[in-house]
Structure formats: C-alpha cells, structure tokens
Amino acid sequence: MKKLCSFFILTLLLSTTYIMAQNKAKVLVLIHSDNGGTYELAKEIAKGIEIENNAVSSIKLVKASQNPSLKGLPVATVDELTNYDGIAFGSPVYFGNISTGMSEFLSKTVQIWTSHGLEGVPATVFMSAGSGAGKELALQSFWNSLAVHGMVLVSNGIRGTEELNKAIPQGNSVLGITSMASLKDVERPTKGERHLAELQGKNFAKVALALKDTRSKKNTPIVENHQNFNEILKQKNIVLPQVPKPAGNYQPFVRSGNLVFINQVALKDGKIFNAGKLGIDVNEQQVKDATKVTMLNVLSVLNEAVGGDLGRVKQCVQLTGIFNTKDDYTKHADLMNIASDLAVEVFGEKGKHARATFGASSIPVNSSVEIQAVFEVE
C-alpha cells in the first residue's frame, strides 16, 4: 500500500510540475555579441525573466562566434521565433544602429512578416554601446525593425535608478538597458547596469505571461533550401583559405543591398602564388593554378560575408577575370574557366554566372590574375 501511495504522490507531483511548466511563458533572449558585453547583459536579462518563476528563458546567438565566452551558446534559427511567448533582442551599437549580424538575421524574417507570425508577440531590446554615443538612435532603430512585425514593444521605463552609481556614466535608457562597454577602469556592465537589466527581464516576463494566451501560435513554415556547404566542400576536397587581409584602406568585401562585391588576387600563405606575366615568367598551367587560388580566396571572403553560411548565397551574378598577359595573347577565356567551374562545382545552378575576361599589361603585386566577383545573397 505504501508503495502504491508513493507512486500516486510521485505521479501527482510530476503532473503538477508539468502543468506549471506549461503555464510559464517561454522567452527567447536573442543576441549578437562581439566581445561578450551584450552576452553579459543577456545573462542578467535571463535572470530577471526567471526570477519570479513565471517564465523560462533561452539565450541564443544569431550567428556562431569564435569568442571563447560565446562559443558554447546555441545559434537560433529564423523558423523557431514564432514558438516563443516573448523575445528579448540584444545587440552591440554600430554607429547609432543595430549590429550587422543582428540586421542580417532580421533580414531573413520576410516569410514570418508576410504571414504575421510575430504579430502581437512582446519584444524588448537591450544593447552594449562603446562610448554611449548613438545608443538612443540604435535602440530606436531596433524598435523600428520590430514594429514592422507588429510586435508589442515593451520599454524599460524609469526603474531601478536608485541603484545606479551617479559618480560614473551609466547606460540607463527608458527604451532598454545599455552598457557603455569601452570606458576604462570600470567593470562593464556595472553593478547598476546589471540590476537594471535584471529588472527589465523581470518586467518583460510579466508582460509575456499576460499576453501568452491572447494570440494563436503560428508555426510559420520556413522553406530552408540551405545545403550543408561544409559537407559539400569536404566531399569535393575543397579547403577555403583564411580571408586575405587588405593591403590598403579598403575592405575584403562590400555589401550593398543583397549584392556582395569582392576583388582578389592569387595570394597564398601570405605570398603571391605563381607571380608574373604569362609567357615570360609563368606558363598557362601555372596561371590556371593561380586562378584556382584566387577563386578560393573569393569564396573564403564570400563565406565571411554571409557569416559562415554559404547556403545564403542565392546566385553568383558576375565573375570578371583579369590576366597579366602579353598584348598578343587571346586565350583568356580558357584560363578563366577554372574559376567558373569552381563556382558551379560549389553552388550548382546558383553558381552559373555572367562573365568577362581580359588581359592587362600588369596587375597589382605582380599577380598573374585578379578576379572581381558579384554575388546575390539573402
């Protein structure tokens, strides 16, 4: 009899625990963090969310990070956003705006927007600033992006100011907590900023719980045609080199809208591979080998431009090959086929592109080839 009673009590406790868990709000703390400042605030936000035991929180990144303090964190997917009762968004401040990583993640939510998948879902924001300049603009830009989805924007209001040390600058804002990460000789986030972040999480959990059953959950089907390009590259024995460092006042790539622009030469292991002029210093096969090295550099830069997810490449739009040749040379197209074939080998139909090839009397750093590339990305 005692065993039977114990079994029923245990069953009742498990059922009660399950019901209580079901009644809690499920909140995502979604962040992009460069040096860990935003993550430190995220931990305080999550602590506040769970402090009254009415919500559970999950901290996830918008993109994988090599920062040791962030490496073990899971990466969120766009299609899981509609499964939460509330989302707290955190980002560094980039020139009075949200970070590139966060912006790129939000740019992939178009299908959720068209189906109103986040409409009525509460959202709150927090940011890690450098000097603190531009933080209000950045917070407002964050709100603007979320308002397009019809999310319920939950401000931090004026709370917890009695805990702030008035002798040092603080990241307090009614729109959401910030931390002034670049100030020296002061631990960031400060004790006061951490307290405000906890209060923001606590307040947000109440709102998320209150709105939990007021909308129908929409598990928006997101069509992910992304292949595992790491596996594809491995199967084809293609190894991407490290992204070459710029030799001047320019960037390895520039993104404008959905287009990524890249220029590369035949740099390998810090040196120009098969340098010189075709027919004088190098032969055709050496230039073809240099063309492959150059195209691998292009793909490496592209991989960085899409945050390590080559599945976001929609199309190779244009490749232009420039070759260091004598005036009477005419087989430029044969040399460039190496790059074109590599693009198709990696991306399939999406790798097929428009192309131009021509010769030049010289190329910077005495490379035998230079490739200009344009890709369309998500």
Side-chain angles (χ1 to χ4, degrees):
M1 179 66 92
K2 281 185 177 180
K3 288 184 178 179
L4 189 60
C5 288
S6 298
F7 173 76
F8 280 121
I9 291 171
L10 180 60
T11 303
L12 181 61
L13 286 172
L14 289 173
S15 299
T16 304
T17 302
Y18 175 77
I19 292 169
M20 289 176 66
Q22 290 294 100
N23 287 333
K24 289 183 180 181
K26 186 181 176 184
V27 179
L28 172 65
V29 183
L30 182 65
I31 66 169
H32 176 225
S33 187
D34 290 321
N35 301 311
T38 308
Y39 177 46
E40 290 301 315
L41 284 177
K43 288 190 286 187
E44 301 300 328
I45 292 281
K47 179 181 174 183
I49 288 170
E50 298 190 347
I51 199 167
E52 291 192 345
N53 205 31
N54 56 10
V56 292
S57 64
S58 302
I59 301 177
K60 294 189 178 184
L61 299 170
V62 295
K63 60 185 292 188
S65 172
Q66 296 304 310
N67 188 311
S69 65
L70 304 168
K71 227 173 180 180
L73 290 177
V75 177
T77 59
V78 170
D79 54 338
E80 73 179 89
L81 298 184
T82 56
N83 296 329
Y84 294 95
D85 301 303
I87 305 175
F89 295 85
S91 162
V93 173
Y94 278 17
F95 302 101
N97 212 324
I98 58 179
S99 71
T100 304
M102 180 61 73
S103 179
E104 288 177 348
F105 184 89
L106 293 176
S107 72
K108 294 187 286 185
T109 61
V110 174
Q111 286 180 300
I112 293 180
W113 169 71
T114 55
S115 64
H116 305 279
L118 291 176
E119 201 167 86
V121 179
T124 195
V125 302
F126 58 97
M127 305 191 80
S128 179
S131 63
K135 65 177 182 179
E136 297 283 351
L137 282 174
L139 288 163
Q140 287 173 355
S141 72
F142 224 145
W143 276 36
N144 290 341
S145 298
L146 303 178
V148 171
H149 278 286
M151 301 188 80
V152 178
L153 307 178
V154 182
S155 69
N156 201 26
I158 300 175
R159 63 181 74 248
T161 54
E162 66 281 354
E163 297 287 331
L164 292 179
N165 181 353
K166 307 299 192 299
I168 58 175
Q170 301 280 354
N172 188 22
S173 168
V174 297
L175 300 179
I177 182 63
T178 65
S179 176
M180 297 166 67
S182 66
L183 295 184
K184 297 179 180 179
D185 303 322
V186 178
E187 183 184 357
R188 292 292 176 174
T190 64
K191 182 179 178 181
E193 289 169 345
R194 289 179 183 275
H195 178 63
L196 286 173
E198 183 181 323
L199 290 180
Q200 183 171 345
K202 179 181 177 182
N203 179 60
F204 185 63
K206 292 178 181 178
V207 176
L209 182 64
L211 296 178
K212 180 176 181 295
D213 298 318
T214 62
R215 68 183 189 93
S216 58
K217 290 281 197 318
K218 296 180 181 180
N219 293 316
T220 310
I222 302 296
V223 180
E224 291 285 354
N225 293 321
H226 291 187
Q227 297 168 280
N228 187 335
F229 277 87
N230 288 331
E231 284 299 319
I232 292 175
L233 296 176
K234 187 176 180 180
Q235 290 169 9
K236 296 179 180 295
N237 200 26
I238 298 172
V239 179
L240 297 184
Q242 287 188 341
V243 174
K245 294 182 180 179
N249 189 18
Y250 60 90
Q251 299 296 325
F253 69 90
V254 169
R255 177 169 177 168
S256 179
N258 288 336
L259 295 179
V260 174
F261 298 82
I262 301 169
N263 281 21
Q264 286 294 312
V265 293
L267 190 68
K268 183 177 183 180
D269 299 327
K271 298 178 181 179
I272 294 300
F273 182 78
N274 292 348
K277 185 179 290 290
L278 175 59
I280 298 177
D281 307 299
V282 288
N283 58 36
E284 285 187 341
Q285 186 55 53
Q286 287 175 310
V287 175
K288 288 179 179 180
D289 292 341
T291 302
K292 183 175 182 179
V293 167
T294 307
M295 190 60 192
L296 286 172
N297 287 338
V298 168
L299 294 176
S300 179
V301 173
L302 176 64
N303 189 50
E304 182 176 87
V306 293
D309 181 7
L310 288 173
R312 292 173 53 200
V313 176
K314 296 177 70 175
Q315 187 69 49
C316 180
V317 179
Q318 168 86 29
L319 292 180
T320 301
I322 307 167
F323 296 92
N324 191 353
T325 62
K326 295 188 292 184
D327 292 344
D328 59 349
Y329 188 79
T330 59
K331 297 182 183 178
H332 306 89
D334 290 343
L335 303 174
M336 191 58 187
N337 283 341
I338 302 300
S340 294
D341 291 345
L342 185 55
V344 175
E345 185 178 6
V346 173
F347 296 111
E349 287 296 313
K350 295 189 293 184
K352 294 183 178 179
H353 49 272
R355 197 178 83 176
T357 56
F358 54 91
S361 59
S362 65
I363 290 178
V365 294
N366 201 31
S367 179
S368 59
V369 57
E370 178 178 353
I371 294 178
Q372 301 174 349
V374 182
F375 292 87
E376 183 186 6
V377 301
E378 292 179 358

